[in-house]
Amino acid sequence: MQPQTIWQKMLAVDRRLLYVLLLVNIVMFLLVPVRMPASISPPVQKFYDTIEALQPGDLVMISSNWSASTLAENQPQLEAVIKHLMRKKARFSIISIEAQSRDISYRLAERVTKAEGYEYGRDWVHFGFVPNLTVAIKGMVTDLPNTIKQDVRGTRVSQIEMLKGVNSLRQYKLVIDVTPSGTVPIWISYSPKEVNIIYCPTSVMAAEAYTYLDSGQIKGMVTGAKGAQEYEQLLGIVGLASRFTNAISFSHVLIITFILLGNVAMFMNRLAERREA
Amino acid sequence: MEWLQNFLPLTFDRAVVWIGVLCTIAIYSLLYRENPFYRFFEHMYIGLAAGYSLGPLGVDILYRYWIEPIWVQGYWAWAFVVPFGLYLYFIYSERYGWVSRLVIGLLIGASAGLFFQEFSSRYLVQLNSTLQRPLWFSASNPDLTVGNLIQNYIFLAILLTVMTYFTFSYQQKGTVKGIATAGRWFLMIGLGAIFGNTVMARMALLIGRAYYILSDWLLIRVGG
């Protein structure tokens, strides 16, 4: 049956037309050379403040578990985190429980640190891929060099300048979990209580983490690309997330408009059917 | 002319970008309709991801934790570890299936032991945080604001209503049913927030790909 009323026509719109409109909207707002400022949410402010409280030389563990599929959200987060740590002159190690993330995070850190003159082995190190985070954390708490054994370049942990005298995860000040997976409960469960944890989840994972934020088990949170944009704004840098700003905001406006129009059409159509009956 | 020279896949780096764009278009072609072009790239991606994982597994795990300790450091006892793990595959044998239970038992035992620590570190802290929420002004809570107090009452109301919804030991009717219904509504709002975040994540991924096509492939300056 052919749609008759405007409401029926709206309900019969080809979904592919909506995809095209969404794509046009995104491309258009990516090309706009003006960036809208973001209002800073409390979890992002706390995240920023936790890193700001670090002293030069403090040790930080970055758990990077993302791969190509969530690059748009996790890459801006990790880039901004590394830049902030370098600004604070903190030393950091990266560990991955995701095989793809081993190389992605290593290359990203190498690119970002090179620009700032941060030296591998002295200022930062990559522990490579570990398949079981629970076992790795428990091992690092009791004996870090013998748990990790070698870094991603094949150098023994005991021979790495940055890790001279570092025997346990307890000597770290902070853990930063950049991930699209449910790894933060593992860090909360098994890492030492004196080590603070902050979290960079993808947007999908963020809602579940508010309980940990509320109870103080994590000290701050940067949610997806939107959170990364707020964080970049606090840092005063223009990264990937800042470039996505307009497109993110207006794609949400468009989707909300679609939802409203779809619902109005559905209710009006029902009303019309009832009247006819 | 210079733009065209930079745009064409004349160098290795540019060829990689072109392949990336081809993969992106192939995967998103599913939005138009199911097609063999999409299927081919989907299978290629899965195969690549699985094959790629074998590399770090060999270098970072098997070599670092098994082969090197045995061959370089002489800890020959480690030689028995991997065969013991492989006992798990006896699960496919009717006659020797019991051997796999040795490994399964060990894993279950370890997981149960670890859960004690997980429970105390993960859930007790949350229980503690919930029970410590002040519900009135007193000298012991000098920093408590009206806003925080309202927030605490909302928290308590949601906690109790949702817990009532999940109490199935008696028939829910009358007032209890009303409370449980409110709990269900709060749950729906929570799930709606999770779904909203999921849409936000998918948008970010699409924007990431659009950025790649515009910035890396078409060499257009994006986002100012």
Side-chain angles (χ1 to χ4, degrees):
Chain A
M1 197 180 82
Q2 286 295 314
Q4 299 296 317
T5 64
I6 183 165
W7 310 118
Q8 283 173 339
K9 281 179 188 166
M10 273 172 72
L11 288 173
V13 163
D14 190 340
R15 65 187 160 79
R16 287 172 290 198
L17 180 69
L18 305 185
Y19 296 150
V20 171
L21 286 174
L22 187 62
L23 190 66
V24 169
N25 179 287
I26 285 171
V27 170
M28 201 169 72
F29 284 103
L30 273 176
L31 294 174
V32 171
V34 181
R35 282 187 294 274
M36 291 198 308
S39 56
I40 311 297
S41 55
V44 176
Q45 186 64 54
K46 284 183 193 168
F47 186 99
Y48 176 83
D49 293 341
T50 308
I51 296 186
E52 273 299 295
L54 290 173
Q55 298 301 314
D58 278 350
L59 284 167
V60 176
M61 177 73 73
I62 301 176
S63 168
S64 172
N65 307 311
W66 54 280
S67 59
S69 57
T70 58
L71 188 137
E73 291 205 288
N74 293 129
Q75 184 181 336
Q77 292 171 337
L78 185 60
E79 269 195 47
V81 161
I82 292 175
K83 283 176 182 166
H84 198 179
L85 291 176
M86 289 194 298
R87 197 178 282 181
K88 295 302 296 178
K89 307 242 177 292
R91 296 174 296 162
F92 63 90
S93 20
I94 304 176
I95 193 166
S96 301
I97 58 157
E98 156 69 44
Q100 279 187 46
S101 183
R102 170 193 189 264
D103 289 329
I104 292 178
S105 57
Y106 174 61
R107 282 184 201 160
L108 186 147
E110 205 173 38
R111 173 172 56 81
V112 177
T113 52
K114 224 171 228 172
E116 298 285 329
Y118 242 54
E119 197 181 303
Y120 185 85
R122 189 193 66 192
D123 304 312
W124 74 282
V125 70
H126 198 301
F127 287 154
F129 165 60
V130 289
N132 188 320
L133 190 60
T134 305
V135 175
I137 297 172
K138 286 193 76 69
M140 285 193 292
V141 172
T142 50
D143 186 355
L144 189 141
N146 275 320
T147 302
I148 300 298
K149 292 181 188 289
Q150 298 172 3
D151 72 350
V152 76
R153 294 183 178 182
T155 313
R156 297 206 69 77
V157 167
S158 53
Q159 291 164 354
I160 297 170
E161 189 189 336
M162 186 189 116
L163 297 169
K164 291 261 162 72
V166 178
N167 300 312
S168 168
L169 188 63
R170 289 181 198 283
Q171 288 163 270
Y172 281 73
K173 292 281 180 217
L174 186 64
V175 168
I176 306 172
D177 195 14
V178 186
T179 181
S181 319
T183 47
V184 84
I186 305 174
W187 280 106
I188 289 169
S189 302
Y190 300 107
S191 58
K193 295 291 156 279
E194 60 268 33
V195 181
N196 286 332
I197 299 169
I198 49 178
Y199 188 34
C200 293
T202 48
S203 309
V204 182
M205 300 299 295
E208 295 167 33
Y210 276 93
T211 48
Y212 303 120
L213 195 67
D214 204 39
S215 59
Q217 287 164 296
I218 55 175
K219 304 294 176 200
M221 181 163 76
V222 164
T223 303
K226 176 74 179 70
Q229 180 215 344
E230 294 170 29
Y231 185 41
E232 283 176 3
Q233 194 171 305
L234 279 172
L235 287 170
I237 57 173
V238 178
L240 267 182
S242 302
R243 294 183 200 282
F244 293 170
T245 312
N246 294 336
I248 289 176
S249 302
F250 285 98
S251 63
H252 290 177
V253 170
L254 189 70
I255 284 182
I256 291 168
T257 311
F258 286 159
I259 292 170
L260 289 175
L261 287 176
N263 277 278
V264 167
M266 184 184 73
F267 285 117
M268 293 307 284
N269 192 43
R270 271 189 202 170
L271 202 67
E273 279 175 358
R274 265 184 219 162
R275 274 183 196 152
E276 277 176 28
Chain B
M1 194 63 194
E2 193 190 337
W3 176 87
L4 190 66
Q5 230 170 9
N6 292 333
F7 173 69
L8 291 171
L10 301 174
T11 61
F12 178 73
D13 286 349
R14 284 304 297 167
V16 169
V17 173
W18 275 72
I19 292 168
V21 171
L22 185 70
C23 293
T24 303
I25 293 168
I27 293 297
Y28 276 112
S29 70
L30 179 72
L31 295 177
Y32 181 67
R33 68 168 174 226
E34 173 74 41
N35 62 78
F37 188 51
Y38 163 77
R39 278 272 163 242
F40 173 77
F41 278 88
E42 185 199 26
H43 285 89
M44 191 180 78
Y45 180 76
I46 295 168
L48 272 173
Y52 186 87
S53 303
L54 289 177
L57 199 71
V59 175
D60 284 359
I61 308 303
L62 282 177
Y63 181 76
R64 192 192 290 185
Y65 294 103
W66 195 55
I67 296 169
E68 204 207 4
I70 296 168
W71 291 103
V72 181
Q73 295 160 15
Y75 295 128
W76 58 267
W78 285 110
F80 296 104
V81 174
V82 170
F84 182 72
L86 290 173
Y87 284 177
L88 200 60
Y89 288 102
F90 275 107
I91 204 163
Y92 297 113
S93 160
E94 259 183 49
R95 193 170 173 192
Y96 298 108
W98 62 271
V99 179
S100 67
R101 272 179 259 150
L102 294 173
V103 187
I104 293 169
L106 187 83
L107 290 173
I108 291 174
S111 303
L114 284 168
F115 189 72
F116 281 106
Q117 186 179 353
E118 187 173 332
F119 185 80
S120 65
S121 317
R122 191 170 159 188
Y123 299 112
L124 288 184
V125 179
Q126 285 186 27
L127 272 175
N128 191 35
S129 148
T130 303
L131 296 173
Q132 278 188 341
R133 282 171 184 275
L135 297 174
W136 52 81
F137 292 104
S138 70
S140 55
N141 304 305
D143 300 329
L144 187 67
T145 61
V146 178
N148 287 340
L149 198 68
I150 294 169
Q151 217 173 1
N152 289 350
Y153 274 104
I154 292 171
F155 181 93
L156 191 70
I158 294 174
L159 179 79
L160 294 177
T161 52
V162 171
M163 283 176 75
T164 308
Y165 175 72
F166 282 110
T167 308
F168 304 120
S169 308
Y170 50 85
Q171 197 185 355
Q172 293 177 345
K173 52 187 177 185
T175 315
V176 178
K177 194 180 176 189
I179 294 170
T181 308
R184 196 176 66 192
W185 274 95
F186 287 132
L187 271 173
M188 290 299 142
I189 294 168
L191 293 173
I194 293 175
F195 184 69
N197 273 323
T198 309
V199 174
M200 189 165 138
R202 300 295 173 258
M203 278 307 104
L205 302 186
L206 176 62
I207 291 164
R209 288 292 84 195
Y211 178 87
Y212 180 75
I213 290 174
L214 292 171
S215 172
D216 293 37
W217 188 50
L218 295 173
L219 307 170
I220 297 170
R221 189 178 166 80
V222 174

